[in-house]
Amino acid sequence: MKKSPIFVDFSLLRLNPHFRSIFIARMISVFAFGILMVAVPVQIHQLTGSTLQVGAAMALDGIGMFAGLMCGGVLADRMDRRRLILLGRTSCGLGFLALALNGFMTNPSVTALYVVSTWDGFFSGIGITSLMASIPVIVGRENLPAAGALSMLTVRFGAVLSPLLGGLIITAAGVNWNYLLAGIGTLATLIPLTRLPSLKPQNAEPSHPLRSLMEGFEFLWQNKVVGAVVAVGTLQTLLSAVRVLYPSLAEDGYGGGAFEVGLMYSAVPLGAMLGAFTSGWVGGLSRPGAMMLACVTASSLAIASLGAFTHLAYGLAALVVLGYLGSIASLLQFTLVQGQTPDHLLGRVNSLWNAQDVVGDSLGALGLGALARALAPLMAVAWFGAGAAAAGLLMCVGFGSLRRLPGGHKQDEAEGEPAEQAAGS
């Protein structure tokens, strides 16, 4: 048996020009969005001095993205996905330039920030859904692990560096230049993306949009593997809410301040980047579903262990482990969802899969925030992690189809049926 490599395989970039175009566009986009994410809350706080209004802008972005994901999922299964990708990127880029124009005005409008946040979220959702639905066609389902790892590596690398770059730009030139550079960078991604071929969905059967969306829900309900993957992914997304406790843990648990909070924010992306870079072995797993369940459960235990540490170094180590395990689980989730879903449903299933990120993160933040009001920070994070670990163990027991799913070329089968049959198509 051929031994799987440890490090991520970069050959896909050399051999597949269409994926290379997507990779280049995504690298530019990650940095553009990263410097923008720093700019919006900074400017709103400068204009209003209100943390509530900063939160409102973030909420509007999330609402817009949720709506964009739902609409984008339906559209991506009945229209040329290449055109939808270009539409999403063009609309976002123009929105960012509008923010720059607003910022250079004598009296910048806060309302404009709210409107463009919603606009940005909506068209980002359309573009993301269409792009993800296109990946299996562009790279082939046998190359999904490598494509997912390379994409994840790009995102994690950008998550570490782009906020720092955004802060430096604000300090050196002002927040308006963040918007301008984000707009130019986003529109620049159109250059490689226009090289993509037509990406029309296979076997598209137009129906009423609501009925079309319901078919996506029905697929998740009927397909034991993909439905279980999305459920486990929701638990993983809930775990990301632990970041709301970073300030309290740094101050009350570790006796630190803003510097320690910054280190904690950097620890998870660092672990995730290491996970993506050393994920070459994931494609050779004999039981990918079982590994995903194990990673999510172990991630919960890593969070629970934060409650036992009173020294920052141990807490940072636990967060790096959390990031590593989370990246492996996310890669397996991406591979299984894309590999098990028929092409004509990829848009809708990807939209629902991404929507659980938006909903799960919000619910996790609310739940953990409420728990932290009743308990000390170390105790709250310990109970939160322990509860998530218990849920993970229940999923390990209950999701037998996912746990027993074979890897390799047999991933197209679930419970002895092809994915298309399991979907009832």
Side-chain angles (χ1 to χ4, degrees), residues 131-155:
L131 182 62
M132 293 190 68
S134 303
I135 295 295
V137 178
I138 289 173
V139 305
R141 301 200 181 212
E142 70 279 3
N143 292 315
L144 285 173
L150 288 169
S151 298
M152 187 182 300
L153 188 61
T154 305
V155 172

Side-chain angles (χ1 to χ4, degrees), residues 2-368:
K2 185 178 179 181
K3 187 176 180 180
S4 298
I6 296 176
F7 298 106
V8 63
D9 184 6
F10 286 89
S11 64
L12 194 60
L13 292 173
R14 175 172 51 86
L15 300 174
N16 192 317
H18 296 316
F19 180 74
R20 185 165 61 246
S21 295
I22 290 176
F23 183 86
I24 293 171
R26 193 159 194 183
M27 176 68 80
I28 298 171
S29 181
V30 164
F31 277 89
F33 277 88
I35 63 176
L36 182 87
M37 286 176 61
V38 178
V40 172
V42 167
Q43 188 178 31
I44 291 179
H45 195 268
Q46 288 175 346
L47 294 174
T48 68
S50 170
T51 302
L52 177 62
Q53 293 203 48
V54 173
M58 296 176 65
L60 287 171
D61 180 81
I63 292 170
M65 177 164 285
F66 185 86
L69 289 170
M70 295 298 99
C71 294
V74 174
L75 293 174
D77 285 338
R78 61 173 62 194
M79 295 178 61
D80 188 340
R81 292 163 182 168
R82 174 182 179 273
R83 299 176 71 176
L84 292 171
I85 294 169
L86 296 176
L87 171 66
R89 293 300 177 91
T90 302
S91 301
C92 286
L94 293 176
F96 301 157
L97 292 180
L99 285 179
L101 180 62
N102 176 65
F104 283 114
M105 295 176 66
T106 305
N107 295 307
S109 168
V110 177
T111 302
L113 289 166
Y114 289 152
V115 171
V116 177
S117 292
T118 310
W119 169 283
D120 168 42
F122 180 79
F123 285 103
S124 292
I126 289 179
I128 289 170
T129 302
S130 303
L131 182 62
M132 293 190 68
S134 303
I135 295 295
V137 178
I138 289 173
V139 305
R141 301 200 181 212
E142 70 279 3
N143 292 315
L144 285 173
L150 288 169
S151 298
M152 187 182 300
L153 188 61
T154 305
V155 172
R156 300 306 182 187
F157 182 72
V160 174
L161 294 183
S162 60
L164 174 61
L165 179 61
L168 291 174
I169 294 172
I170 292 174
T171 302
V175 69
N176 301 328
W177 286 92
N178 289 59
Y179 298 138
L180 185 60
L181 291 174
I184 294 172
T186 301
L187 292 176
T189 64
L190 297 174
I191 298 173
L193 290 174
T194 52
R195 301 172 186 168
L196 296 178
S198 176
L199 295 166
K200 295 181 180 179
Q202 301 172 10
N203 304 318
E205 298 179 1
S207 58
H208 190 279
L210 291 179
R211 174 56 192 162
S212 183
L213 187 60
M214 284 305 301
E215 289 174 357
F217 281 106
E218 290 171 2
F219 174 78
L220 293 181
W221 181 259
Q222 295 171 6
N223 189 294
K224 296 179 180 179
V225 172
V226 179
V229 169
V230 173
V232 176
T234 301
L235 177 59
Q236 180 189 341
T237 303
L238 289 171
L239 297 178
S240 68
V242 70
R243 69 186 185 281
V244 304
L245 280 183
Y246 287 171
S248 297
L249 286 171
E251 182 178 350
D252 300 331
Y254 306 134
F259 177 72
E260 286 74 16
V261 172
L263 290 177
M264 295 175 75
Y265 269 105
S266 298
V268 173
L270 175 61
M273 191 165 61
L274 292 173
F277 187 65
T278 59
S279 62
W281 53 274
V282 171
L285 287 171
S286 60
R287 289 291 185 269
M291 177 59 73
M292 188 181 72
L293 287 163
C295 284
V296 175
T297 304
S299 295
S300 304
L301 294 175
I303 288 179
S305 70
L306 288 171
F309 298 137
T310 56
H311 194 284
L312 178 63
Y314 296 111
L316 292 176
L319 290 175
V320 170
V321 171
L322 173 65
Y324 178 87
L325 293 170
S327 70
I328 299 300
S330 295
L331 176 56
L332 289 167
Q333 192 179 359
F334 168 83
T335 303
L336 292 173
V337 168
Q338 305 295 77
Q340 293 286 319
T341 304
D343 181 81
H344 71 281
L345 286 167
L346 274 170
R348 284 162 286 179
V349 172
N350 273 294
S351 72
L352 296 173
W353 173 38
N354 281 279
Q356 57 93 22
D357 279 345
V358 178
V359 175
D361 185 64
S362 299
L363 292 177
L366 289 173
L368 191 51

